[in-house]
Amino acid sequence: MALMGFLAFCACSNEEETGNVTTPTGAEQIISLAVANSNGASTRTGRPLLSSEAKQTIENVVVYVVDNSTKAVAYTKEFTDWQSTSVDYGTNDGRSTDFVLESNLEDGNYQIFAVGFHNSSSYNDVKAALVTEGTFNENAVLSLSADGGAEEIFAGSTEPFEVKKATGFKKEVVLNRQVAGVYVYAKDIPYIADATQLRLVASAENNRLVLGQFANLNLDNNGENNNITTAVVNGFSESTAFDKTLVTINLNEWFSSIEANGTLINTANWQKPSRYNGKATFEKGSVFGGEFVIPFAKVEETQTLKLQLTTAGGEVKREWNVNLPSSETTTYTLYTWDTMTSAFTSQASVTEDKHYYNIVRNHLYGLGDRTSDDPGSGTDPEPTPDDNDDPVSLDNKHEIELVVNDNWEVIHNMELE
C-alpha cells in the first residue's frame, strides 16, 4: 500500500471485542504493528524502484514508547528480521504483528513511535538519530552516507494517550513511507548523434531527511481515491553542490548499438540490462529508470522536473518539461521543514501549478504507466497498448506528464511537453 498498512489486530483469549477494536480485559499492554512488505531481495540501498506496485523490503522495525511530557524513552522493542517475526496481512504483501510489553508502563501520558529501515541503511546511524541520551527526537534528522542515495524508510506514531497500569491497553501503530519516488518509463527515443543518456533533472534536491510530522493513515488504495488533504516536504539540504539529477538512464545498457531508424533509435538492437533478469520485464524497445528521493519544495518560476537527452558528458541535445496533469493540481495543506526554527510549519490551501509543484512524501511521480514490476510475467513483451504497462512516447513530444503515486499515498501520471 502507499501508506504503510492499517494494523491487523489479533484476538487473544483474555480479550473481548468491542466494535472494531479489541480491548484487553486484564492489565496487558499490547502494541500492534503493521508494515506492507515485499519479499523481494534488498540491495545496498534497499529495494529497487521498478514500478508503482505496492511493496517494501525493510528488515528492521524499532518501537519507542515515549513519555509525552519529557520525551524520555520508557520502553523499546526492536525487530531485526521483520519478515520472520511478523505474519501475512492484507493483500499487498502486508506484514503485521502484535506484541505485549514485558513490563507494564507506569501511570502517565505516552506516545508510541515506530521506524522501519533496511540493513546497511544508506541513512547514517538511524537509531542514534532517533534517541539521544535516553530522549526521543521527534524530528530526527538523517543524513545520507557517502556511497548511498535515498532509499525507503517508514515511520509512524500514535496520538498521545493516557495509561493506567492496572487496566492495560492495546494501541495500533501504522508506518508510512517517508520518501518520495520518481521513475521514467519511455519508448520511441529520438536518435541524435552522440546522445547516449536520458536524465530526469530537478529544480532542487535535498540530502537530509526529517522523520517527523508522522501520518498514521490507513490507505486502502494504492495511490487512488485516498482523499489526502495534507502533504509533507520532510527534507532539506546542507549543500548546494548537487547536479540535481534524480534519474540517469544509460542508453548503451538498453541498446547493443545506438543506430538510427528514421528519426528514432533502432529498437532492433534493444536489450534488457542483465540486472533486471528475474526481477522485472519491460516492453521491448523501452527504457526505464527509477529512484527514491528525499522530498523537496518547488522553486517558483523554475520548472520542477525536466527530461533531457544528453551526451555522455552531459551536453543537452533535447529537453522536455515534465508537467503535473491538470487533474492532479489539487489544493491541500502543505507541511515543510523550517531549518531556522527546526520545526515543521504549515501552509493552508496550497495549489500546484503544472510546471511548478512540490515533490512530497509518499508520492510517486512517474512518466509512463507501469503498475507492476513484472507485467510480462517473466517475458519482455512486444510493444502493445496496455493501460498497465505503457511507456511514454518521446517521439514528437515537447511536454511530459508525471504520475505521483505500497500503498503509495498518491500516484500522479505526469505529462511531457
Side-chain angles (χ1 to χ4, degrees):
M1 306 175 175
L3 292 174
M4 308 303 309
F6 57 90
L7 301 163
F9 294 140
C10 301
C12 301
S13 59
N14 59 352
E15 298 173 352
E16 62 183 12
E17 288 198 5
T18 305
N20 293 324
V21 179
T22 304
T23 305
T25 59
E28 298 86 358
Q29 296 181 349
I30 303 170
I31 297 176
S32 272
L33 291 174
V35 179
N37 262 343
S38 161
N39 293 321
S42 63
T43 65
R44 172 63 184 84
T45 55
R47 77 170 176 96
L49 176 60
L50 298 174
S51 69
S52 61
E53 187 174 337
K55 59 165 57 180
Q56 292 85 32
T57 59
I58 56 174
E59 297 88 7
N60 304 280
V61 176
V62 60
V63 182
Y64 301 98
V65 183
V66 176
D67 184 285
N68 191 47
S69 298
T70 66
K71 302 304 177 184
V73 176
Y75 183 91
T76 303
K77 175 75 172 181
E78 186 171 358
F79 299 86
T80 58
D81 187 354
W82 177 250
Q83 291 292 334
S84 65
T85 53
S86 56
V87 297
D88 290 336
Y89 113 91
T91 58
N92 289 314
D93 295 318
R95 307 290 296 176
S96 69
T97 193
D98 290 2
F99 67 93
V100 179
L101 275 64
E102 287 86 348
S103 56
N104 278 14
L105 302 172
E106 299 296 330
D107 290 2
N109 288 290
Y110 297 88
Q111 193 170 5
I112 304 171
F113 298 86
V115 177
F117 55 96
H118 287 284
N119 290 336
S120 302
S121 175
S122 65
Y123 301 108
N124 289 316
D125 302 322
V126 174
K127 290 189 290 183
L130 291 167
V131 178
T132 303
E133 296 181 350
T135 300
F136 186 79
N137 300 319
E138 190 165 346
N139 294 318
V141 175
L142 304 181
S143 60
L144 292 172
S145 60
D147 62 342
E151 68 181 23
E152 281 189 309
I153 187 168
F154 299 91
S157 68
T158 66
E159 294 295 325
F161 63 97
E162 185 178 6
V163 169
K164 294 293 185 182
K165 185 175 183 179
T167 59
F169 63 78
K170 185 168 186 177
K171 290 293 179 181
E172 62 180 8
V173 186
V174 181
L175 282 73
N176 302 315
R177 187 185 287 102
Q178 299 296 298
V179 295
V182 295
Y183 72 78
V184 175
Y185 187 34
K187 63 182 178 181
D188 301 330
I189 316 299
Y191 175 82
I192 300 177
D194 299 325
T196 60
Q197 289 187 149
L198 278 174
R199 302 192 310 182
L200 184 67
V201 298
S203 60
E205 190 174 7
N206 287 328
N207 65 351
R208 297 291 186 271
L209 181 71
V210 184
L211 295 182
Q213 197 63 42
F214 297 142
N216 288 313
L217 300 176
N218 293 332
L219 299 180
D220 295 329
N221 300 304
N222 187 31
E224 298 180 358
N225 304 317
N226 285 320
N227 298 317
I228 304 304
T229 57
T230 62
V232 181
V233 173
N234 55 324
F236 67 97
S237 177
E238 291 190 351
S239 170
T240 58
F242 287 126
D243 65 3
K244 299 175 184 175
T245 298
L246 305 183
V247 174
T248 299
I249 300 173
N250 183 353
L251 299 179
N252 285 307
E253 291 188 331
W254 293 87
F255 300 95
S256 59
S257 177
I258 299 179
E259 300 172 348
N261 180 10
T263 61
L264 305 178
I265 293 177
N266 190 349
T267 57
N269 299 319
W270 185 82
Q271 61 186 9
K272 183 172 71 176
S274 59
R275 66 179 177 277
Y276 294 125
N277 289 340
K279 297 179 180 179
T281 56
F282 304 92
E283 181 179 295
K284 291 181 178 179
S286 68
V287 299
F288 178 85
E291 299 288 347
F292 296 104
V293 298
I294 295 176
F296 59 87
K298 63 185 176 183
V299 178
E300 293 295 346
E301 305 305 316
T302 302
Q303 178 73 36
T304 296
L305 294 178
K306 293 182 178 182
L307 184 66
Q308 297 175 337
L309 180 62
T310 77
T311 65
E315 180 185 353
V316 178
K317 294 294 188 177
R318 188 165 178 183
E319 184 173 75
W320 300 264
N321 288 335
V322 178
N323 293 339
L324 197 66
S326 58
S327 60
E328 303 291 346
T329 57
T330 55
T331 300
Y332 57 85
T333 300
L334 177 69
Y335 291 86
T336 57
W337 179 252
D338 187 331
T339 56
M340 299 296 294
T341 62
S342 296
F344 281 96
T345 60
S346 65
Q347 180 182 355
S349 301
V350 172
T351 301
E352 301 285 33
D353 179 90
K354 73 173 185 176
H355 296 291
Y356 324 122
Y357 44 89
N358 298 293
I359 302 297
V360 300
R361 184 175 71 188
N362 204 26
H363 286 219
L364 177 62
Y365 301 81
L367 276 171
D369 289 323
R370 185 168 171 81
T371 61
S372 170
D373 291 0
D374 185 17
S377 302
T379 302
D380 301 304
E382 296 293 340
T384 55
D386 186 337
D387 291 340
N388 296 316
D389 184 53
D390 187 15
V392 64
S393 173
L394 300 185
D395 186 22
N396 296 323
K397 290 276 189 173
H398 299 285
E399 190 160 320
I400 299 176
E401 273 204 6
L402 278 186
V403 180
V404 181
N405 181 1
D406 180 275
N407 288 332
W408 287 92
E409 184 173 319
V410 177
I411 297 177
H412 305 292
N413 288 314
M414 306 303 285
E415 296 177 345
L416 282 175
E417 177 180 61

